[in-house]
Amino acid sequence: QRAGDHWAVRDWPVKTHTPVFLLNSNVHEPVTYYLRVVHQRVPFAAPLHVVTASRLLAEQQREHFLLGAYFGLALLMVVLGVVNAVQQSDKTFALYALYMAALVLMHAVSTGLGAFFVWPQATDWTGVAESVTLSLTLVAGLWLIRAAFTPQRMWPLLNAAVLGVMAVQVVATLFDVAWPTMHSFLLANSAALVALVATMTLLCMAVQRHKADTRWMALGFLPLMLASTLPVMRNLGVLNTGFVSQYATMVASVAAAPVLSEVSAEPPPFT
């Protein structure tokens, strides 16, 4: 092996946030290369490209610029959530900051920038980081939506079901980390899909039951929740890795950030 999640990022032959392999260009006759991709649990859906060094550098610079802009905005929203939580003594803002922090961590893992800049030696963490951060983001998002729209006031059974979905998501992720198999991987991603369905159900009910001035809060969540289904579908082998499955949640979170930052300090009343 030359690169990949079994090797520390600092030991990769080319220092980038995605695995890059050098090919010998100083030859005067055809050369055959063999590539073996080994991954026991996750369906292989990564695109393979042969590029020149100059094109690779240009693509990396452009990607780092755009990702830097995203992470700067996302971290700003985390800070604003913490400041509002402290100033207004409101747990909803604290949950919003927690959700945005989990989202930032998930994107740092999925783009490879976390392993490249923050934990270049932690191969054990890199191996489980994507499933853990996805689960953390889903649970934090469901927790935030439950706190903002208070289903326990009108639908105690629905509230109990939401708490059960959160617990199942945590247990399935811990099981997948402790005993990683193909079945545990499918179980964890199936639980994530159920959590997304539960989240969107809460949002749809909030749109129908809440006053008009709070519906935009739920509508701000919906695109992000829909985009979050794409990484799960990729893990289940339904989608290939590409711009949509890789960056849809980033685009949706940037669009929703101004909306979600306006979460009311008082629980929205039901009509």
Side-chain angles (χ1 to χ4, degrees):
Q1 282 188 320
R2 298 288 304 278
D5 56 5
H6 285 271
W7 280 61
V9 175
R10 67 172 187 173
D11 297 329
W12 288 2
V14 180
K15 306 306 178 185
T16 63
H17 64 281
T18 55
V20 175
F21 306 88
L22 295 175
L23 303 180
N24 186 8
S25 59
N26 298 321
V27 294
H28 302 286
E29 57 184 20
V31 177
T32 302
Y33 291 95
Y34 295 94
L35 175 65
R36 184 176 67 172
V37 179
V38 180
H39 210 308
Q40 297 178 350
R41 305 195 311 139
V42 182
F44 179 71
L48 300 176
H49 301 287
V50 179
V51 298
T52 62
S54 58
R55 179 182 172 185
L56 175 65
L57 178 61
E59 290 179 352
Q60 295 286 336
Q61 290 177 338
R62 180 171 61 252
E63 189 173 2
H64 284 180
F65 173 77
L66 295 175
L67 290 176
Y70 162 76
F71 283 110
L73 174 62
L75 290 173
L76 175 62
M77 303 312 297
V78 174
V79 173
L80 289 177
V82 172
V83 171
N84 286 326
V86 173
Q87 288 182 344
Q88 303 188 30
S89 299
D90 180 49
K91 71 173 184 178
T92 306
F93 282 111
L95 290 176
Y96 173 73
L98 175 64
Y99 172 70
M100 288 301 300
L103 196 65
V104 168
L105 182 59
M106 184 186 76
H107 288 150
V109 170
S110 64
T111 59
L113 291 183
F116 184 68
F117 288 110
V118 184
W119 55 83
Q121 306 177 51
T123 54
D124 291 339
W125 163 244
T126 302
V128 301
E130 187 162 4
S131 60
V132 171
T133 54
L134 175 61
S135 177
L136 177 62
T137 303
L138 290 174
V139 171
L142 197 51
W143 193 4
L144 170 61
I145 294 171
R146 176 179 172 272
F149 300 113
T150 58
Q152 59 269 30
R153 292 188 175 185
M154 292 290 291
W155 303 291
L157 291 179
L158 177 61
N159 180 63
V162 169
L163 294 175
V165 168
M166 294 168 62
V168 168
Q169 178 64 53
V170 172
V171 171
T173 302
L174 293 176
F175 181 78
D176 183 51
V177 171
W179 296 281
T181 64
M182 176 61 75
H183 297 294
S184 67
F185 179 78
L186 294 176
L187 175 65
N189 281 274
S190 298
L193 203 55
V194 172
L196 286 169
V197 172
T199 303
M200 286 186 282
T201 301
L202 267 182
L203 294 176
C204 291
M205 297 182 74
V207 170
Q208 294 176 354
R209 296 285 183 171
H210 283 80
K211 291 183 177 180
D213 59 350
T214 58
R215 291 177 180 174
W216 59 271
M217 295 165 56
L219 294 175
F221 270 106
L222 279 175
L224 186 53
M225 293 300 105
L226 291 173
S228 298
T229 62
L230 299 177
V232 178
M233 301 302 289
R234 180 196 61 200
N235 290 343
L236 294 175
V238 178
L239 296 177
N240 289 331
T241 297
F243 179 85
V244 175
S245 61
Q246 186 78 9
Y247 299 109
T249 54
M250 290 188 180
V251 175
S253 63
V254 168
V259 177
L260 301 185
S261 63
E262 296 297 329
V263 176
S264 174
E266 294 294 330
F270 281 90
T271 56

